[in-house]
């Protein structure tokens, strides 16, 4: 995964119309941001975002992210978001990309244990999600952007 990829994010939005952040690439700090935003768009979904190389790597999860082991969720990789998007809550206007309401469902920080092209393991310290989580690329249904998200046993 490469960084400096906010082009798609910016291309999709009109910042004169949407209350969302225009965003910049963040210099990496020690505490990496973790957030899940519940997004009531045309279809309800949960946006999982993990800070990586100055942006928020993002996945849309169609069902509530699992707090327990043994539940696997589809997670569809979507465009990178700016790190300061993690604080965003509000209403995206009707005629804008992602129109609907966004609320922070969970937030905190995380530590990466493994970050590869097709497998990511992170230790999440949120309020709802805590512990080791895995994202594995599946190409489910022949789709390049399909991942599976699940909680893994602690070491
Ligand atoms: Mn979304």
């Amino acid at each position: 995964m490469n960084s400096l990829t906010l082009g798609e994010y910016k291309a999709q939005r009109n910042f004169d119309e949407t209350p969302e952040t225009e965003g910049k690439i963040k210099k990496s700090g020690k505490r990496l941001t973790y957030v899940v935003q519940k997004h009531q768009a045309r279809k309800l979904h949960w946006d999982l975002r993990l800070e990586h190389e100055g942006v928020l790597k993002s996945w849309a999860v169609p069902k509530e992210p699992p707090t327990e082991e043994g539940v696997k969720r589809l997670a569809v990789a979507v465009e990178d978001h700016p790190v300061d998007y993690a604080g965003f809550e509000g209403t995206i206007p009707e005629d804008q990309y992602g129109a609907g309401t966004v609320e922070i469902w969970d937030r905190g920080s995380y530590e990466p244990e493994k970050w590869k092209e097709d497998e990511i393991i992170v230790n999440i310290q949120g309020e709802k999600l805590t512990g080791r989580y895995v994202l594995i690329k599946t190409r489910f249904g022949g789709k390049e952007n399909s991942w599976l998200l699940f909680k893994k046993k602690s070491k």
Side-chain angles (χ1 to χ4, degrees), residues 37 39 41 45-47 49 60 98:
Q37 283 153 320
H39 187 181
H45 60 274
W46 285 256
D47 288 307
R49 308 191 198 280

Side-chain angles (χ1 to χ4, degrees), residues 64-113:
E64 194 169 274
T67 55
E68 306 288 340
E69 290 163 35
V71 182
K72 287 189 167 72
R73 292 285 188 241
L74 173 68
V76 180
V78 297
E79 78 275 15
D80 297 343
H81 280 52
V83 173
D84 62 350
Y85 197 95
F88 177 70
E89 291 189 295
T91 300
I92 301 167
E94 205 51 48
D95 57 343
Q96 294 301 301
Y97 181 78
T101 57
V102 175
E103 65 181 76
I104 293 169
W105 181 81
D106 194 24
R107 76 200 305 180
S109 61
Y110 85 96
E111 293 162 25
E113 184 178 312

Side-chain angles (χ1 to χ4, degrees), residues 79-147:
E79 78 275 15
D80 297 343
H81 280 52
V83 173
D84 62 350
Y85 197 95
F88 177 70
E89 291 189 295
T91 300
I92 301 167
E94 205 51 48
D95 57 343
Q96 294 301 301
Y97 181 78
T101 57
V102 175
E103 65 181 76
I104 293 169
W105 181 81
D106 194 24
R107 76 200 305 180
S109 61
Y110 85 96
E111 293 162 25
E113 184 178 312
K114 178 179 185 179
W115 196 291
K116 292 268 169 67
E117 192 73 14
D118 56 359
E119 186 181 11
I120 293 167
I121 304 175
V122 290
N123 251 292
I124 293 176
Q125 293 102 43
E127 288 175 18
K128 292 193 173 88
L129 302 197
T130 55
R132 294 173 78 213
Y133 278 81
V134 182
L135 280 153
I136 291 182
K137 209 167 187 177
T138 62
R139 293 175 185 85
F140 182 75
K143 285 184 181 158
E144 267 298 308
N145 53 359
S146 293
W147 294 64

